[in-house]
Amino acid sequence: MAYQPRLPKTNPNIGRQRPLQDLLLIGSALLALLFLLYWLLGLAIDKAINQLSPELEQQWFANFASKPEPSPQQAYLQQLTQDLQKCSTVPYPVNVHFIDKAIANAGVMPGGTMLLYQGLLEKLDSENALAFVLAHELAHLQHRDHLRGFGRALVLAVLTSTLTGSSNAGQVFLPATELGMAQHSQQREFAADATALSLLQCYYGHTGGAEVFFQSMLQQESSKLPSWFDSHPKLQLRLDALQQQRQQHGYPLAAVTPLPLFTAQ
Amino acid sequence: MFITNTETVPGKNIIDCFGVVSGSTVRAKHVGRDIMAGIKNVFGGELRGYTELLNESRDEAINRMKAQATEMGANAIVNVRFSTSSVAAGAAEIYVYGTAVRVE
Amino acid sequence: MIPFIGFLTLLLLGYVFGRWAEQRHFHSIAAREQQWVSLPNSNNRELLIPMQQIDKAELVCGSVVISIDYFKRLLAMLRSIVGGPVASYETLLDRARREALLRMKEQCTGAVQIINIRVETSSIHNAAGNGIGSVELLAYGTAIYGKAVDEVQQLSALTSAAN
């Protein structure tokens, strides 16, 4: 037996390498599938939410809400919300929670709980401006966006984990799923703004002060990045949408009601 | 081409030796089969999808090893060994190696 | 927006540097294989070259841990969803094996031959719960040092046996 020193000329152990084509092909096919499923399940969720009566929702979630701390702001906000609610179609009582923190934010939770932070109140100069913020949150309740957002997040989580299994390939789709969630959320925000403006018109007979909150926030908005991945649209776009709606429906502008002074804490 | 896992090809004389040759392949089954295998895992039994996957990969690896040996001028591979490892989730890696020789 | 930019950056870095590193590694492997091609090697247990005198026989090992780049890892993840050959992983394993075999050979300068070569693969990243990551390759064999029977002697031995 003799040893013949030789090397193979080609390397059959490496298959055809087309990394970029593979990435584009597989990635786009999976994305298309994911978007299709997400869209279909989104429709199913919207249908299911229409089936779920507000009374039932109230029953399910009422126990989770805690009692708010009594304060002058609290009583005032609760009264204003109740007055505004007469113009809306929210069928259950809404409980406002005033939170004494410097964050400029407000939100709703399932079961008709509305949260409003001190920081937001400080940015407003009139009752009308405050009423617009409350009306915006009422509109979310009326559109049942709190349930929609929750449902969609759940569907996305289940969908990506089924598709990608135990591997952490889910991170590949993270940007895409975030984009989908953000786009849906932005649509709901525009819809809530529109409803809030009509609530304001219904309650005061004019829409003065509606844009105050957005304008005060606009000075702070420093991000020049596009807002595709944000849950809320750009403030300028929201202001433009309000202006357009005003012109379309011929909503008048009039003098605003000042905010009461909260002296006692 | 003779492929054996003994050190010689029985009944033949080895004339030349070319050193170690190898073939390897990594393959994945699509997620549908992974899910089915997951369900099957509850009840036990043969995971046909995976048996098939490993058989396909093994054939491919042997073919690649043969191709390497042919290029070197060998007509037999002796002392062939297999090894399987799971280097990626849902994918199987088959490695096969042996000594390329020429028999008369 | 920020995670998306980060993701794209990692992808691009992985593609550019992974490609560069891989090509460089393959060039180095090819050159060293050419250098070591004359060392007889086999995975048989018996001697490949008949020996006149054996000075030493010892175990030699060569091992390497190689990781895949971000781009190829992502590609492999996507591939494991749709199925089929994971081509992006094959280059990793191929160069890891050849590197381990070369390191084994580089351990035994002066040896006449290496016999009974075995190759082991393990994916050391699996323990961290991450299915894809890096592989460890270990090649080992027995290096035989000494003096080979040259062909003239071999022939004379044969003729004397015939007489």
Side-chain angles (χ1 to χ4, degrees):
Chain A
M1 192 193 327
Y3 178 70
Q4 307 282 345
R6 262 175 224 177
L7 285 175
K9 280 175 229 59
T10 59
N11 186 359
N13 282 333
I14 293 176
R16 202 146 59 116
Q17 299 284 314
R18 292 174 309 175
L20 286 175
Q21 287 100 313
D22 275 10
L23 185 78
L24 283 180
L25 206 70
I26 305 173
S28 53
L30 285 176
L31 268 185
L33 187 75
L34 197 70
F35 270 124
L36 185 74
L37 282 174
Y38 176 66
W39 181 70
L40 285 175
L41 285 168
L43 281 187
I45 282 176
D46 285 350
K47 239 190 154 55
I49 283 169
N50 290 340
Q51 294 292 313
L52 173 70
S53 75
E55 290 75 21
L56 203 60
E57 180 202 332
Q58 178 70 7
Q59 254 179 27
W60 285 356
F61 294 102
N63 296 332
F64 293 106
S66 57
K67 280 254 175 279
E69 297 263 327
S71 67
Q73 291 99 323
Q74 170 72 46
Y76 168 71
L77 288 169
Q78 182 69 46
Q79 189 55 47
L80 186 58
T81 308
Q82 269 170 21
D83 294 343
L84 277 168
Q85 205 186 339
K86 284 169 197 149
C87 286
S88 80
T89 59
V90 179
Y92 44 76
V94 176
N95 295 306
V96 185
H97 283 229
F98 175 74
I99 300 165
D100 196 5
K101 279 187 187 152
I103 315 163
N105 204 355
V108 285
M109 298 199 302
T113 307
M114 195 186 287
L115 308 172
L116 200 127
Y117 289 90
Q118 164 71 25
L120 188 139
L121 210 56
E122 279 164 9
K123 291 200 180 300
L124 307 173
D125 59 355
S126 67
E127 189 186 280
N128 302 56
L130 175 62
F132 180 76
V133 174
L134 293 174
H136 175 93
E137 299 307 329
L138 271 176
H140 274 317
L141 284 179
Q142 185 177 324
H143 297 160
R144 317 191 77 188
D145 291 335
H146 51 300
L147 294 179
R148 275 175 230 275
F150 183 65
R152 273 171 192 256
L154 200 70
V155 160
L156 258 186
V158 171
L159 212 65
T160 45
S161 71
T162 319
L163 206 58
T164 57
S166 58
S167 76
N168 51 2
Q171 73 190 62
V172 178
F173 300 109
L174 205 65
T177 55
E178 274 182 3
L179 186 71
M181 292 290 288
Q183 290 303 314
H184 177 253
S185 167
Q186 291 191 14
Q187 273 177 25
R188 306 311 305 174
E189 291 301 325
F190 275 124
D193 281 351
T195 308
L197 199 69
S198 64
L199 286 181
L200 212 61
Q201 169 70 21
C202 157
Y203 181 61
Y204 290 107
H206 68 88
T207 60
E211 63 283 338
V212 170
F213 177 59
F214 293 160
Q215 273 165 354
S216 75
M217 293 297 281
L218 196 58
Q219 289 157 7
Q220 292 177 4
E221 191 180 57
S222 56
S223 168
K224 291 278 177 284
L225 291 174
S227 61
W228 306 320
F229 288 93
D230 299 340
S231 65
H232 288 61
K234 284 273 187 203
L235 291 169
Q236 193 54 54
L237 291 177
R238 296 175 80 174
L239 283 168
D240 293 348
L242 285 183
Q243 202 52 44
Q244 202 187 348
Q245 199 191 349
R246 250 183 208 148
Q247 278 166 4
Q248 212 171 24
H249 296 277
Y251 291 152
L253 286 172
V256 293
T257 321
L259 274 176
L261 282 173
F262 302 110
T263 43
Q265 273 298 323
Chain B
M1 171 136 334
F2 301 97
I3 295 184
T4 65
N5 71 340
T6 53
E7 314 228 331
T8 55
V9 182
K12 304 262 179 190
N13 275 334
I14 295 173
I15 311 164
D16 287 326
C17 174
F18 303 95
V20 174
V21 285
S22 62
S24 73
T25 168
V26 189
R27 257 163 199 258
K29 268 273 176 278
H30 61 81
V31 74
R33 287 215 192 256
D34 285 346
I35 293 169
M36 288 310 289
I39 295 168
K40 195 72 186 252
N41 248 341
V42 177
F43 307 105
E46 186 187 349
L47 305 174
R48 273 178 213 284
Y50 283 4
T51 309
E52 199 185 305
L53 166 73
L54 289 174
N55 277 339
E56 275 171 23
S57 315
R58 205 163 284 137
D59 288 349
E60 175 71 24
I62 291 176
N63 284 337
R64 287 177 170 189
M65 179 177 69
K66 276 188 195 168
Q68 219 175 42
T70 311
E71 272 186 24
M72 292 164 103
N75 64 359
I77 303 169
V78 296
N79 208 12
V80 168
R81 296 282 182 270
F82 284 103
S83 82
T84 307
S85 58
S86 96
V87 283
E93 199 263 327
I94 302 282
Y95 180 54
V96 53
Y97 60 104
T99 301
V101 294
R102 199 169 54 171
V103 296
E104 57 193 11
Chain C
M1 197 67 201
I2 303 297
F4 188 62
I5 294 172
F7 168 77
L8 278 184
T9 314
L10 282 179
L11 205 63
L12 199 72
L13 279 179
Y15 183 70
V16 173
F17 285 94
R19 223 176 137 85
W20 176 71
E22 189 178 281
Q23 271 170 5
R24 215 174 55 142
H25 194 195
F26 269 128
H27 279 305
S28 139
I29 287 174
R32 281 147 68 213
E33 272 181 350
Q34 202 63 54
Q35 191 187 327
W36 284 98
V37 67
S38 54
L39 177 67
N41 59 91
S42 104
N43 70 336
N44 280 358
R45 271 182 301 175
E46 59 198 36
L47 291 177
L48 188 58
I49 310 276
M51 298 293 285
Q52 191 179 38
Q53 173 202 344
I54 296 180
D55 297 337
K56 193 170 64 169
E58 67 170 2
L59 178 74
V60 281
C61 297
S63 76
V64 62
V65 179
I66 293 194
S67 161
I68 197 166
D69 64 72
Y70 190 84
F71 179 85
K72 290 200 162 189
R73 183 175 317 174
L74 189 120
L75 202 58
M77 281 176 186
L78 289 179
R79 183 50 90 175
S80 72
I81 296 172
V82 294
V86 191
S88 67
Y89 229 81
E90 286 176 353
T91 54
L92 176 83
L93 286 160
D94 187 63
R95 64 196 174 110
R97 287 223 167 86
R98 289 160 75 182
E99 177 70 37
L101 283 167
L102 278 170
R103 285 188 183 181
M104 176 187 72
K105 289 174 186 171
E106 281 162 2
Q107 288 289 306
C108 48
T109 331
V112 178
Q113 55 185 322
I114 306 179
I115 57 169
N116 207 14
I117 294 171
R118 294 283 181 268
V119 182
E120 290 291 326
T121 315
S122 57
S123 109
I124 56 170
H125 220 77
N126 250 349
N130 187 342
I132 297 176
S134 44
V135 282
E136 200 234 351
L137 258 294
L138 170 68
Y140 56 101
T142 303
I144 310 286
Y145 299 82
K147 207 169 164 197
V149 175
D150 53 40
E151 278 185 35
V152 184
Q153 276 178 320
Q154 226 175 326
L155 255 163
S156 67
L158 277 173
T159 41
S160 65
N163 290 338

